[in-house]
Amino acid sequence: MDFNMKKLASDAGIFFTRAVQFTEEKFGQAEKTELDAHFENLLARADSTKNWTERILRQTEVLLQPNPSARVEEFLYEKLDRKVPSRVTNGELLAQYMAEAASELGPSTPYGKTLMKVSEAEKRLGAAERDFIHTASLSFLTPLRNFLEGDWKTISKERRLLQNRRLDLDACKARLKKAKAAEAKATTVPDFQETRPRNYILSASASALWNDEVDKAEQELRVAQTEFDRQAEVTRLLLEGISSTHVNHLRCLHEFVKSQTTYYAQCYRHMLDLQKQLGSSQGTIFPGTFVGTTEPASPPLSSTSPTTTAATMPVVPTGAGLIPPEEAALCLEEVAPPASGTRKARVLYDYEAADSSELALLADELITVYSLPGMDPDWLIGERGNKKGKVPVTYLELLS
């Protein structure tokens, strides 16, 4: 108990000395040992690395999991060292809803068949997203998190220890400075009336006493300087290790880009296959159209006006065909509208014809539309003046 009390008293004294030194530095009443410029640059680079690593880590987590509640749940599981439960991705959930809708609305109908095809594609997209999240977490997020929770905590601990060593060093310098000033004053004006505790009899001049104080302060300063230099070297080595951290993060960044490239390539391939499937299932009444085009028929957004861009939708893939579009256009001109069943329709979005068998549309214009026996329900025949061609139903609002 006696030893513990002495240690506690010693620690309290050291803490008080550091607090006084820190306070006097803040008020400009004490000198502060400055670190060299190279060391300051290392500190600044380390702080910048830590701050940007935190930001990149947090934003990557948002990219991989946009749901904040899910992120909090995963964080709690990690802190409790428990396995994070498997979570259904948004694409897989959408695929499930589409499959259920197709089963209820009729899987044999054109709409139900298309729902099933899109459901399968969304399921594959969801699986690709799951693989991407898993790969990115292991190859990119984990190394960043290990740096913040491992290396950076070690650096922060050594920096705090260096700060304490510096405060001790500056306190010793201030004590030595005061002792030398008192010694000089005692040498100039001796004072033999100075007393100590009652059981102590002053047997030497004040000058000799302050000389002993100066020697003691110099010894403490040498010890503090040695400890400060040793701690500064340890901290410097850790800070210089930030360069290795950058190299490691660079490699992880390449891995992240590779996994992201693989993910988007898989998504593109799945959607291209879906587009071909939907294109091949279009009606065959207009055999002159092209199958599964991989390029959008509408002009790029940069070439359209702001008004047109807001009302422009992606072009629906056209049906399969065996004859040139020119012959298909001639067949359309020879088709007569039915005696009854024509309706007026308002165009919702701009539509650029993929070939001569289709009719180009402008938003908000009125056209006459009708269907023919055996025609794909996703398409109608549209007439505007003496022009006639196929138009997608999804771009129209049928009027009474």
Side-chain angles (χ1 to χ4, degrees), residues 362-380:
L362 294 176
D364 296 328
E365 71 171 334
L366 295 178
I367 61 173
T368 302
V369 295
Y370 55 87
S371 181
L372 296 176
M375 187 174 181
D376 185 10
D378 293 334
W379 293 85
L380 293 173

Side-chain angles (χ1 to χ4, degrees), residues 2-61:
D2 185 36
F3 172 78
N4 292 335
M5 289 300 299
K6 289 182 178 180
K7 184 176 185 302
L8 180 62
S10 176
D11 292 341
I14 294 175
F15 176 80
F16 178 75
T17 302
R18 292 171 179 172
V20 171
Q21 177 66 27
F22 182 80
T23 304
E24 291 180 349
E25 289 178 358
K26 289 299 181 180
F27 285 98
Q29 299 176 358
E31 296 181 359
K32 176 181 177 181
T33 300
E34 299 293 341
L35 302 172
D36 60 86
H38 177 64
F39 200 98
E40 292 290 351
N41 290 334
L42 291 177
L43 290 174
R45 188 176 66 155
D47 290 334
S48 181
T49 301
K50 180 255 184 180
N51 293 334
W52 283 112
T53 301
E54 284 182 335
R55 294 183 183 182
I56 293 174
L57 175 64
R58 299 291 175 261
Q59 191 57 39
T60 306
E61 290 176 343

Side-chain angles (χ1 to χ4, degrees), residues 194-244:
E194 182 182 356
T195 61
R196 289 295 184 180
R198 281 178 288 179
N199 61 346
Y200 179 81
I201 300 176
L202 184 61
S203 61
S205 66
S207 177
L209 292 175
W210 282 115
N211 187 33
D212 293 339
E213 289 292 330
V214 169
D215 293 340
K216 182 180 178 181
E218 289 178 345
Q219 177 63 25
E220 293 177 351
L221 177 60
R222 284 191 293 270
V223 173
Q225 185 69 55
T226 302
E227 293 180 352
F228 172 77
D229 293 340
R230 183 185 301 112
Q231 184 59 38
E233 184 63 23
V234 172
T235 308
R236 184 191 302 274
L237 293 176
L238 291 175
L239 293 176
E240 290 175 347
I242 293 294
S243 299
S244 301

Side-chain angles (χ1 to χ4, degrees), residues 77-281:
Y77 273 104
E78 291 178 359
K79 291 301 180 183
L80 296 175
D81 292 332
R82 298 179 60 183
K83 183 179 179 181
V84 180
S86 179
R87 191 184 304 276
V88 178
T89 62
N90 293 328
E92 292 172 329
L93 188 60
L94 177 60
Q96 177 183 344
Y97 289 165
M98 285 186 172
E100 294 175 356
S103 300
E104 184 172 343
L105 299 177
S108 59
T109 63
Y111 183 45
K113 292 180 180 178
T114 303
L115 277 175
M116 289 301 298
K117 292 178 180 179
V118 178
S119 172
E120 290 297 325
E122 292 295 336
K123 186 176 180 180
R124 289 192 292 269
L125 291 176
E129 181 184 1
R130 182 189 301 275
D131 293 340
F132 167 62
I133 293 175
H134 177 71
T135 303
S137 298
L138 290 180
S139 62
F140 189 62
L141 291 184
T142 300
L144 298 185
R145 193 176 291 114
N146 289 341
F147 165 72
L148 293 175
E149 297 178 356
D151 295 347
W152 182 252
K153 286 188 176 180
T154 302
I155 293 175
S156 300
K157 177 182 177 181
E158 298 300 331
R159 287 179 64 177
R160 288 193 297 270
L161 189 56
L162 177 63
Q163 173 73 355
N164 291 336
R165 294 289 182 263
R166 186 196 62 78
L167 290 174
D168 293 342
L169 175 63
D170 290 337
C172 290
K173 289 180 179 179
R175 190 179 304 114
L176 177 61
K177 184 178 180 180
K178 292 179 180 178
K180 286 184 176 182
E183 181 188 24
K185 183 179 179 181
T187 302
T188 305
V189 184
D191 184 5
F192 295 98
Q193 302 301 322
E194 182 182 356
T195 61
R196 289 295 184 180
R198 281 178 288 179
N199 61 346
Y200 179 81
I201 300 176
L202 184 61
S203 61
S205 66
S207 177
L209 292 175
W210 282 115
N211 187 33
D212 293 339
E213 289 292 330
V214 169
D215 293 340
K216 182 180 178 181
E218 289 178 345
Q219 177 63 25
E220 293 177 351
L221 177 60
R222 284 191 293 270
V223 173
Q225 185 69 55
T226 302
E227 293 180 352
F228 172 77
D229 293 340
R230 183 185 301 112
Q231 184 59 38
E233 184 63 23
V234 172
T235 308
R236 184 191 302 274
L237 293 176
L238 291 175
L239 293 176
E240 290 175 347
I242 293 294
S243 299
S244 301
T245 300
H246 288 181
V247 173
N248 184 40
H249 288 183
L250 175 62
R251 180 184 58 81
C252 297
L253 184 60
H254 280 282
E255 293 294 330
F256 175 72
V257 172
K258 181 180 178 181
S259 63
Q260 200 170 26
T261 302
T262 303
Y263 167 62
Y264 285 118
Q266 291 176 344
C267 292
Y268 174 76
R269 184 169 61 253
H270 294 328
M271 295 309 298
L272 187 60
D273 293 341
L274 175 63
Q275 187 183 38
K276 291 180 179 179
Q277 293 178 21
L278 296 181
S280 63
S281 64

Side-chain angles (χ1 to χ4, degrees), residues 275-281 287-294 317-322:
Q275 187 183 38
K276 291 180 179 179
Q277 293 178 21
L278 296 181
S280 63
S281 64
T289 55
F290 180 69
V291 180
T293 175
T294 59
T318 55
L322 300 175

Side-chain angles (χ1 to χ4, degrees), residues 288-326:
T289 55
F290 180 69
V291 180
T293 175
T294 59
E295 296 295 332
S298 57
L301 294 179
S302 59
S303 62
T304 58
S305 62
T307 305
T308 305
T309 302
T312 302
M313 293 285 288
V315 176
V316 178
T318 55
L322 300 175
I323 62 177
E326 293 77 6

